[in-house]
Amino acid sequence: MAATLVTNIKQLVGVRKENKLLRGRELSELNSIENAFLVIEDGMIASFGEMKDLQSSTRSIQNSIDASGQFVLPCWCDSHTHLVFAASREEEFIDKLKGMSYAEIAAKGGGILNSAKKLNAASEDELFNAAWKRLEEVSRLGTGAIEIKSGYGLSVEGELKMLRVIKKLKERSDLSIKATFLGAHTYPLEYKDDHQGYIDCIIHEMLPVIDKEKLADYIDVFCEKGFFSVEETEIICKAGMSYDLRPKIHANQLSMSGGVMVGASLNALSVDHLELMSDAAIKTLAHSDTIGTLLPTSAFFFRTQYPPARELINYDCAIALASDYNPGSSPSGNMNLVVAISCIQMKMLPEEVINAATINGAYAMELEKQTGSITIGKRADIIFTKQIPSLAYLPYSFGTNLIDKVMINGKLC
Ligand code: NIG
Ligand code: FE
């Protein structure tokens, strides 16, 4: 058996005996072991403990890593991205700097429709190669598990093409990947005045093929004023659920869209964004099994208000953090920046952000049995930091790359 021994770890962070989705105050419970060792066998976490308890004779160690002065923590679990896209959109970024709104940009054919036009013109190979590069980039930044959405196709061929690219990424990458069908991202131009026509297309033309080819794990709808109403969201999610696709919904990003309520009523796995939350929406989320996923780099890029993380925690919600990596609202998939901004702008504590971006992120992709914590039997998805003085230094020293190396499924990448 190929075994790797990591010794002299300054602090082994995110150690858990049992899996638990963390709510409210539990989010600050981050267990760690100082001066620790960790053994990895066949890509899995085999044992760990304090250096003084290391029994060297018991294992056939093939590789050793000295982690003196370094922190070791579980890889980031990024549960919301749009990582497959054809082109960046920095020309809209300039338009926004000059004062145009997202709605105005969308009205002149920009936004999601701009991405859809470019995606439909790109080949499957081009999309795959571009997405592969982004995946490599985020894995070097510590992401070991990731959810990727469709939603820039908005046509039968385009949506299937995106989902087939995601399937190929799943097959070829060491990262754990989940696929979400987001055909309901916006109405394509030809259906601008025929919403029912596009909903029929999603339900009767896209979903049966997606089911047949097993192209998706979840269904998503952009539940937002000017996009999909609560009623439309419910119809589309229920159609997805009839094919065993659990909803993960874009909710309350630009308005109090009602997306949280409909998500909770459908037992969605997560409702994501939550920049605008009423008391009623917070209470509904707190009393549900649905995870609230916050995407602070998107609020940062849009200069909108941040989700009320402290209120959500006070009300006992289960929250996760994700990057929303996409060309329109978060052109970065850097989870280190996500956790830093969560502390700086949403006043979350370092322990809370690490839990929300690891174990709770794993739950938001139903990957908690495989990854998201330092637990015996889980995949060795591990971040080795550079030599840093404390755990708080990670979000504090934002913008500095503090990652020394990353191991995914036991392999250094
Ligand atoms: O999550 N909100 C909808 N979708 C993306 C933005 C999409 C785009 O502008 O391309 C988001 O922010
Ligand atoms: Fe998104």
Side-chain angles (χ1 to χ4, degrees), residues 16 29 34 47 64 67 80 116 141 188 236 257 264 266 278 306 327 336-337 339 351 364 392:
R16 288 194 177 271
E29 292 165 9
E34 282 182 31
S47 67
S64 295
H80 180 138
L141 291 167
I236 296 163
S257 68
L266 295 172
S278 60
Y306 286 87
N336 305 284
L337 191 58
V339 298
E351 293 78 10

Side-chain angles (χ1 to χ4, degrees), residues 80 82 89 92 102 111-112 115 152 182 185 222 250 253 273 295 298 302 324 326-330:
H80 180 138
H82 309 247
R89 300 207 318 249
E92 292 176 12
Y102 190 63
I112 298 167
S115 281
Y152 290 131
L182 176 58
H185 201 181
F222 189 16
H250 277 78
Q253 179 183 14
H273 271 291
L295 312 165
S298 165
F302 270 10
D324 199 12
N326 77 77
S329 70
S330 180

Side-chain angles (χ1 to χ4, degrees), residues 33 35-37 47-56 58:
I33 302 174
N35 197 17
F37 75 89
S47 67
F48 55 81
E50 289 183 48
M51 276 304 286
K52 68 176 172 49
D53 298 326
L54 173 63
Q55 292 158 353
S56 53
T58 53

